[in-house]
Amino acid sequence: MFEEVILLGAPDRSIALETRRGRPIRNVQTPEPGKRERARYELIRKKYGSAWSHRKPACGFYNCFGMVFASRRTSILEEEMVERVLTDDGYRLLVGEEPVPGDLVLYRDGLTGGLLHAAMVLRCERMGNASIPFALSKWNDSAGEDMHHVQHHCWRDFDLKLEYWTDRPQP
Amino acid sequence: MIPELLDRIASIDFEAEVVASTPGALRLILRRRPEVPGLRRQYDQGTLSEEIVKTFVARLLKDDPGDGSFPCQVALATLAVVFEERFGRLPTEYLEDLARIRSPRFFMASGVARLCLRHRNRYDANYRRRFQLVTTPDGGGEVITFTGYATPLNRPHMCRPPGTPSITVHIRVA
């Protein structure tokens, strides 16, 4: 069914990337967005992003995990690789501690625990006693970057679990 | 004629509803979408035939402008999720072919197909499928439909476990 694409397909483009402990991180540099992907990003912003602040227009090469773990150089596509970075780079899950700018927020499926998305905490706003984190996201490999309230995302109908991770030492 | 649901999964509106940055996330999201059981039902009823699927895929590939990633990866990935729990020749051929693509332009769709195959193989290795005849052909060229369920291989006499998916296989008689 896909004979032509299989025959003509170019191999994946990836770069050398390793965790702090030297284990490899599989990655793929994804193509620059085409016309349709740019239109799709605009539609996503229109649909969900009324309260988002736009940082960067649609671009290729990296996804959300590539943004937070690989300095926007490539896309990390496997959950196993993300877990590898969290372990090898010394991240810890925040329990009963508030996130601060530079920490990560991971969006997991509330039912299976599967990883959906990662964003970087940019600032936390005080509202009474609560601290509301705002984060920077790249929604997919061809989207741009947007700053948003951590609860203002693209998966409103999904039962999500948010986790905050940090590389700061234990207090 | 291409069924409406196929047109729906190829639309930009649908793509904007299933935003994902990894194949694993896209598979997870697609498994919760109502379009997936809808297409499975059409496949089980025979309205989503091999010819229709091939025409649909050929149309998507033909409309590829060649810039950026392949624009209709979400549609290809959705069909992969539809076929993950179907075991006929078409689902198997579709998943295996899509999973063989090694192009960064198709990384999302082929990644989803690889995950679907992995889950399917895990299912295949641990369960025995039992089928019963649903429809019989009147003459040549008709489709015979079997429906069935799976029981764990380590408990072969077990009845159909509650909540397990049924499996439908269509066989075209030459």
Side-chain angles (χ1 to χ4, degrees), chain A residues 1-2 5-6 10 12 30-32 34-37 40 43 47-48 63-65 77 109 112 140-141 155 158, chain B residues 10-13 15-17 19-22 28-29 32 57 67-69 71 90 94 97 102-104 106-107:
Chain A
M1 215 174 292
F2 300 97
V5 188
I6 293 167
D12 287 345
T30 51
E32 284 291 343
K35 215 169 160 185
R36 178 167 170 131
E37 287 153 309
R40 182 172 62 201
L43 190 59
K47 224 173 163 69
Y48 309 101
N63 63 354
C64 57
F65 299 112
L77 300 174
D109 172 23
T112 62
N140 60 26
D141 64 291
W155 307 280
F158 227 72
Chain B
S11 70
I12 196 164
D13 284 325
E15 287 169 14
E17 288 170 21
V19 182
S21 59
T22 65
L28 255 176
I29 293 167
R32 311 270 167 84
V57 170
D67 63 337
S69 289
L90 171 68
Y94 181 89
D97 271 11
R102 298 280 166 190
S103 161
F106 287 79
F107 79 93

Side-chain angles (χ1 to χ4, degrees), chain B residues 32-33 64 92 97:
Chain B
R32 311 270 167 84
R33 295 289 307 189
D64 177 12
T92 305
D97 271 11

Side-chain angles (χ1 to χ4, degrees), chain B residues 39-143:
Chain B
L39 284 165
R40 274 193 197 135
R41 251 190 318 275
Q42 291 190 358
Y43 174 73
D44 294 345
Q45 290 160 356
T47 46
L48 185 64
S49 64
E50 179 167 350
E51 194 190 336
I52 286 175
V53 171
K54 286 189 170 169
T55 307
F56 175 69
V57 170
R59 194 186 76 184
L60 296 182
L61 294 175
K62 194 173 152 248
D63 292 345
D64 177 12
D67 63 337
S69 289
F70 177 66
C72 297
Q73 290 197 79
V74 168
L76 298 181
T78 308
L79 276 179
V81 174
V82 167
F83 288 149
E84 179 180 329
E85 290 179 13
R86 294 295 178 268
F87 295 84
R89 194 177 58 82
L90 171 68
T92 305
E93 185 192 335
Y94 181 89
L95 286 172
E96 287 178 350
D97 271 11
L98 187 55
R100 275 171 57 207
I101 299 176
R102 298 280 166 190
S103 161
R105 297 194 64 232
F106 287 79
F107 79 93
M108 193 61 101
S110 60
V112 169
R114 274 176 227 136
L115 286 173
C116 291
L117 276 176
R118 199 185 300 165
H119 283 267
R120 200 178 196 236
N121 293 342
R122 205 174 292 163
Y123 188 80
D124 229 13
N126 294 305
Y127 291 86
R128 177 193 303 277
R129 295 192 291 275
R130 294 156 183 265
F131 292 99
Q132 71 186 79
L133 195 60
V134 175
T135 57
T136 47
D138 296 330
E142 293 282 336
V143 174

Side-chain angles (χ1 to χ4, degrees), chain A residues 97-140:
Chain A
E97 246 183 281
E98 285 185 352
V100 299
D103 288 345
L104 303 181
V105 50
L106 297 188
Y107 292 75
R108 288 187 188 273
D109 172 23
L111 282 177
T112 62
L115 205 47
L116 284 183
H117 180 63
M120 181 169 281
V121 176
L122 290 181
R123 66 175 198 273
C124 298
E125 284 184 10
R126 282 256 151 234
M127 284 184 86
N129 283 336
S131 170
I132 311 291
F134 283 74
L136 181 66
S137 274
K138 188 172 195 283
W139 306 106
N140 60 26

Side-chain angles (χ1 to χ4, degrees), chain A residues 47-104:
Chain A
K47 224 173 163 69
Y48 309 101
S50 55
W52 298 351
S53 316
H54 190 46
R55 180 185 175 267
K56 187 180 178 183
C59 63
F61 282 97
Y62 62 98
N63 63 354
C64 57
F65 299 112
M67 183 183 84
V68 298
F69 294 129
S71 304
R72 300 185 170 94
R73 284 168 290 160
T74 189
S75 295
I76 299 172
L77 300 174
E78 296 165 62
E79 193 169 331
E80 186 194 339
M81 293 299 115
V82 174
E83 303 292 354
R84 181 177 287 186
V85 178
L86 289 173
T87 309
D88 287 10
D89 288 12
Y91 282 90
R92 65 184 172 89
L93 178 65
L94 291 181
V95 184
E97 246 183 281
E98 285 185 352
V100 299
D103 288 345
L104 303 181

